[in-house]
Amino acid sequence: MAVSTALKNKRRLDVNGMDVQMQTQIVHPGGFTGGVVRVPGDKSISHRTALLAGISSGTSEIQGFLQAEDCLNTLKAMEAFGARAWFDDDGVLSIQGTGGKMIEPVGPLDVGNSGTGMRLLAGLCAGAPITVTLTGDESLQSRPMRRIQEPLELMGAKVELTPEGTVPMTIHGGGLRGIEYRLPTASAQVKSCCILAGLYAEGRTTVREPIPTRDHTERMLRAVGAPIRVEGEYISVEGFGQRGPRFMARPYMVPGDFSSAAYWLAAAAAMPGVSVTVESVGLNLRRTALLDVLRRMGAKVEIVRTSAPTDPEVYGTVTVIGADLTGTRVGGAEIPNLIDELPLVAVLGALARGQTEIRDAEELRVKESDRVAVMVENLRNLGAEVEERPDGMVVTGPARITPAKSVRSYGDHRVAMSMSILSIFATEPVCIGNVACVNTSYPEFWEQLSNLGVKVE
Ligand code: S3P
């Protein structure tokens, strides 16, 4: 199946097989049985396989690639740069790479909703001697891009943005030289952008992280034999110049996405005695801080690693057994390791006894929506007691979850899914608006929610 067909299919998928643009879902309370689940492939890793296989020599086979809008858009962009990609009937993706070269696409490339797609692709484009315009949907058009413009221009690319520092972004790439760059914010997207551009630079590029963030790019580059070194907070890559690296095609295995598993683990955590087991899920420590939070709140967590020591990523089985939860505090170096799970932590805060405090999470305000403001509004509309802070929030529970108003997702997939989990604990059915956004990362979400016993219509 061609990538464009896969993308069209995902856009239209919902529980009833209807067109989902602007659709609402009603989630009924109760019913959640727990059980054993598998979740679709990791979004971060899927983006990176599309990029790396896309610039390799030969055809790579990828098991478990996430067929959701974000990653399919990245794949489509790689096709515009000269790669070829197709899915077989079992969902295995083949990518015939460009051998390092990037051809100049005709017209602007729209990467949809994905900040990861945008920032990682920008890194590659900056390295090649081409001019490319990248754009995205309304949400992506409001997200900050100066954070990648600065390092890419220091390396020698020219990057044009709107006066607000947003996309559309036009990159005039090529002729890069390596730099030493200290990231002003902890961001794996910006780090990866610099590393990918660094592959096309003359000399060495070194990035220094203020706090460790997810390291999928580093692990994957090591696996393809790239000259990458990690020493404490410093990550260095030796450039190949603008002809690009000569990586060989290889097989990739994408584990299940921990951030998707998190919804089911959180639901179980807040139900005493109920358990959820997720198999073949990514367990990279830079992604799984939610498990520490669940333990601190009182849930039981069991982990069995099934990956081999030689696998680039750690994966395995995780089980969470629910309990009466108590509030906790999250902040500091823990934040990047559960950044995408923070809306769920807020939900758990509403269900737990006492205060749950989220601090040092100002980055949440520049995700697919302002997740601090949007979660505060939605939690309040469902009866929770929440105080908004510039860098997070304080939720006091347990709340009686009464849907005074419907939930507004603001087009943010993680808000829609997190609020669906809270709806299981409500006194009445909850209407969640504009849920088409869930297709960006987890098209099977509603089906799996219903398989776990929750009535969804
Ligand atoms: C991602 C990094 C995170 C995360 C995003 C995926 C990645 O963003 O929120 O969903 O794949 O590198 P930041 O690195 O900007 O915090």
Side-chain angles (χ1 to χ4, degrees):
M1 184 178 29
V3 175
S4 50
T5 315
L7 195 49
K8 220 157 67 203
N9 290 348
K10 291 301 158 191
R11 280 212 179 118
R12 300 183 66 84
L13 194 122
D14 83 342
V15 175
N16 306 309
M18 285 161 44
D19 194 316
V20 292
Q21 299 306 317
M22 302 310 289
Q23 184 203 332
T24 57
Q25 294 277 13
I26 297 172
V27 178
H28 288 252
F32 188 85
T33 52
V36 181
V37 256
R38 278 186 182 239
V39 292
D42 186 278
K43 181 153 75 74
S44 292
I45 298 175
S46 295
H47 279 297
R48 287 156 172 83
T49 57
L51 264 66
L52 277 193
I55 57 166
S56 294
S57 303
T59 301
S60 300
E61 276 203 355
I62 301 153
Q63 309 259 358
F65 186 89
L66 174 63
Q67 288 193 51
E69 286 176 10
D70 276 9
C71 301
L72 292 170
N73 276 322
T74 293
L75 211 46
K76 233 177 66 188
M78 290 311 295
E79 288 187 316
F81 293 124
R84 284 190 55 228
W86 62 96
F87 291 95
D88 72 12
D89 293 343
D90 297 322
V92 177
L93 172 65
S94 296
I95 302 183
Q96 190 188 82
T98 64
K101 260 180 64 182
M102 305 266 290
I103 60 167
E104 191 166 294
V106 188
L109 299 181
D110 185 343
V111 304
N113 188 249
S114 175
T116 308
M118 173 64 69
R119 294 179 176 126
L120 270 57
L121 283 165
L124 273 191
C125 295
I130 53 175
T131 294
V132 185
T133 298
L134 296 170
T135 189
D137 70 5
E138 203 185 320
S139 149
L140 193 52
Q141 283 181 37
S142 69
R143 296 181 65 186
M145 295 297 156
R146 290 206 176 103
R147 52 180 63 192
I148 56 169
Q149 180 189 40
E150 182 182 278
L152 293 178
E153 292 207 328
L154 285 172
M155 294 176 90
K158 183 160 172 24
V159 180
E160 297 166 37
L161 296 170
T162 68
E164 291 74 41
T166 53
V167 300
M169 164 164 57
T170 298
I171 303 174
H172 308 273
L176 302 189
R177 54 194 174 268
I179 55 166
E180 283 185 24
Y181 189 68
R182 186 183 188 283
L183 296 174
T185 37
S187 165
Q189 295 179 357
V190 181
K191 170 177 67 173
S192 301
C193 172
C194 298
I195 295 173
L196 290 167
L199 289 173
Y200 285 81
E202 297 291 341
R204 176 181 305 168
T205 296
T206 302
V207 186
R208 184 175 176 198
E209 294 197 276
I211 302 177
T213 63
R214 64 189 70 190
D215 60 355
H216 305 303
T217 305
E218 297 90 305
R219 285 170 181 268
M220 215 175 277
L221 279 173
R222 218 176 284 128
V224 298
I228 183 159
R229 280 225 329 252
V230 180
E231 281 166 338
E233 69 262 46
Y234 295 90
I235 301 117
S236 302
V237 64
E238 303 296 332
F240 292 83
Q242 73 178 24
R243 282 182 59 219
R246 294 294 157 87
F247 303 138
M248 296 308 292
R250 51 164 281 145
Y252 294 90
M253 209 287 286
V254 181
D257 196 325
F258 182 83
S259 297
S260 298
Y263 299 102
W264 318 127
L265 300 175
M271 282 185 205
V274 172
S275 77
V276 160
T277 297
V278 188
E279 295 174 333
S280 291
V281 65
L283 293 173
N284 184 319
L285 287 175
R286 305 248 178 117
R287 294 287 301 280
T288 54
L290 177 73
L291 296 178
D292 304 325
V293 173
L294 294 181
R295 278 196 188 108
R296 290 208 297 272
M297 295 182 90
K300 195 166 167 206
V301 178
E302 290 162 4
I303 296 170
V304 180
R305 181 179 164 154
T306 53
S307 53
T310 48
D311 286 330
E313 289 285 347
V314 180
Y315 56 88
T317 302
V318 56
T319 298
V320 167
I321 304 166
D324 283 317
L325 301 181
T326 49
T328 187
R329 185 185 192 280
V330 299
E334 199 169 45
I335 293 296
N337 300 344
L338 49 47
I339 186 78
D340 294 336
E341 287 66 69
L342 287 172
L344 262 180
V345 174
V347 160
L348 290 169
L351 299 170
R353 189 162 29 83
Q355 283 197 336
T356 295
E357 199 178 347
I358 299 173
R359 303 306 297 266
D360 308 317
E362 39 281 284
E363 274 296 295
L364 265 194
R365 293 197 180 270
V366 292
K367 293 295 177 187
E368 286 82 330
S369 69
D370 175 343
R371 287 182 179 160
V372 174
V374 166
M375 286 305 295
V376 167
E377 178 190 312
N378 278 312
L379 289 175
R380 280 190 186 144
N381 285 343
L382 262 59
E385 192 187 322
V386 197
E387 273 174 56
E388 183 169 350
R389 295 281 155 83
D391 62 341
M393 67 188 88
V394 181
V395 191
T396 306
R400 196 174 129 79
I401 308 300
T402 46
K405 291 193 185 155
S406 54
V407 166
R408 295 183 65 184
S409 75
Y410 289 89
D412 184 333
H413 58 136
R414 303 229 180 266
V415 171
M417 291 187 278
S418 300
M419 291 307 296
S420 306
I421 296 305
L422 185 59
S423 306
I424 304 173
F425 299 85
T427 52
E428 289 165 60
V430 180
C431 180
I432 306 188
N434 189 7
V435 295
C437 49
V438 168
N439 287 339
T440 60
S441 70
Y442 198 169
E444 300 83 354
F445 178 79
W446 305 109
E447 200 183 318
Q448 289 208 316
L449 183 59
S450 135
N451 287 344
L452 286 162
V454 176
K455 187 171 167 207
V456 185
E457 54 181 337

